[in-house]
Amino acid sequence: MKDPVFVAFSTQKGGAGKTTLTVLMASYLYYVRGMKVLVVDCDYPQYSIKEMRDRDVEILKINKTFLRNFNELRRRIQCDPYPILIAKPEDALARVQARIEAGHEYDIVLFDLPGTINNPGVAKTVSLMDYLFCPVAADKLILESSLAFAMKVRDEIMTLNGSSVKEMYMVWNLVDAREKTDLYDRYEEVFEEQMLQTLKTRLPDTKRYRREGSKDAARAVFRSTLLPPDKTLLKGSRLVELVDEILGIIRL
């Protein structure tokens, strides 16, 4: 049995998109690509992904279209929804290892981590990831915060004895089409000066990334723990390109 790859979208600034990207990648890999996925929600105390799963389950009770799509998906893939493991950061790796030793097989384990790495438990968990992806946006506060986070990980986490981190990448999120592309190129030069790699795929700032299940039966869903992103909404989202680029890096 091969070991799963441990991946985290991680940053310290709220609103950069780490939880959204974790859910979208998990749902696309599991429901569309058929990979064995485990999501570990370590974002204590709010546990945002578990909260999203709870909302999705409630939507099943009131939205017949959502329920029908869910049932059709289950019949097609012959699987229950992917598991979401709730754990404090310091307990996460032991809880995952216990599931693996109990016979559960995973291709990839996606971690949603708290925004701070000043906590020793969080720092240790970050150090045991195989790959880290740091969402960043062309917003001064998010940019400065994400850059500071990535540099701290580079200097204090990746250098720890026993660190498992193979590579870390910055990920452009919430890209405004009205911004000149050379703005992002200049920022990437700063990243390069700091020896930080950047993914080629840039995700646009589009409302579809916030399209969850609702009471509206006709509403197509993009972000859900129970369904894959709607095919019509995938066009132009760059999500598939992002997933393919990441899979190439982590060799899955």
Side-chain angles (χ1 to χ4, degrees), residues 61-76:
K61 301 174 184 177
I62 58 177
N63 186 323
K64 292 182 180 179
T65 301
F66 192 85
L67 177 62
R68 184 179 66 248
N69 292 340
F70 173 71
N71 287 333
E72 288 176 354
L73 175 68
R74 288 189 71 186
R75 282 194 294 270
R76 178 166 55 82

Side-chain angles (χ1 to χ4, degrees), residues 15-235:
K18 67 183 181 66
T19 298
T20 291
L21 292 177
T22 302
V23 169
L24 287 171
M25 185 163 183
S27 296
Y28 186 78
L29 291 180
Y30 186 79
Y31 299 124
V32 179
R33 296 288 180 90
M35 291 187 178
K36 298 172 183 174
V37 175
L38 171 65
V39 172
V40 186
D41 190 347
C42 304
D43 198 7
Y44 176 83
Q46 62 265 30
Y47 294 126
S48 302
I49 296 180
K50 173 59 166 58
E51 183 180 318
M52 192 181 301
R53 170 62 61 81
D54 291 341
R55 290 200 304 272
D56 284 340
V57 171
E58 288 302 311
I59 294 298
L60 288 174
K61 301 174 184 177
I62 58 177
N63 186 323
K64 292 182 180 179
T65 301
F66 192 85
L67 177 62
R68 184 179 66 248
N69 292 340
F70 173 71
N71 287 333
E72 288 176 354
L73 175 68
R74 288 189 71 186
R75 282 194 294 270
R76 178 166 55 82
I77 67 174
Q78 296 292 302
C79 290
D80 290 330
Y82 57 79
I84 299 173
L85 178 63
I86 311 303
K88 291 184 178 180
E90 59 269 25
D91 301 327
L93 271 297
R95 297 278 304 280
V96 171
Q97 193 60 40
R99 290 180 69 95
I100 293 172
E101 291 174 359
H104 297 279
E105 293 186 25
Y106 306 108
D107 298 311
I108 185 170
V109 181
L110 293 165
F111 292 76
D112 189 30
L113 299 167
T116 178
I117 54 172
N118 295 324
N119 180 300
V122 177
K124 179 64 175 176
T125 302
V126 170
S127 76
L128 295 175
M129 297 297 101
D130 293 308
Y131 297 91
L132 292 168
F133 297 92
C134 181
V136 60
D139 169 273
K140 188 173 185 295
L141 290 177
I142 293 177
L143 181 66
E144 291 178 353
S145 178
S146 296
L147 183 58
F149 174 85
M151 291 170 64
K152 190 175 182 70
V153 170
R154 179 199 66 193
D155 296 336
E156 300 180 21
I157 302 296
M158 294 178 71
T159 56
L160 287 174
N161 287 333
S163 173
S164 300
V165 181
K166 299 176 178 67
E167 294 182 87
M168 176 174 62
Y169 288 81
M170 310 299 284
V171 184
W172 281 116
N173 193 25
L174 304 171
V175 172
D176 190 338
R178 296 168 297 181
E179 294 278 9
K180 295 181 179 178
T181 56
D182 62 349
L183 171 69
Y184 295 96
D185 293 337
R186 290 199 301 273
Y187 283 143
E188 287 189 21
E189 290 176 4
V190 174
F191 299 158
E192 189 174 349
E193 288 171 3
Q194 296 299 327
M195 297 179 290
L196 298 171
Q197 303 178 89
T198 310
L199 292 185
K200 293 178 179 147
T201 306
R202 298 173 179 176
L203 298 178
D205 184 8
T206 169
K207 292 180 179 178
R208 76 188 73 184
Y209 274 85
R210 296 178 284 278
R211 288 280 292 272
E212 295 187 9
S214 70
K215 295 180 181 179
D216 182 1
R219 182 182 174 92
V221 175
F222 194 75
R223 181 175 65 183
S224 171
T225 67
L226 297 181
L227 293 173
D230 181 82
K231 289 181 180 179
T232 59
L233 295 177
L234 269 177
K235 297 176 182 178

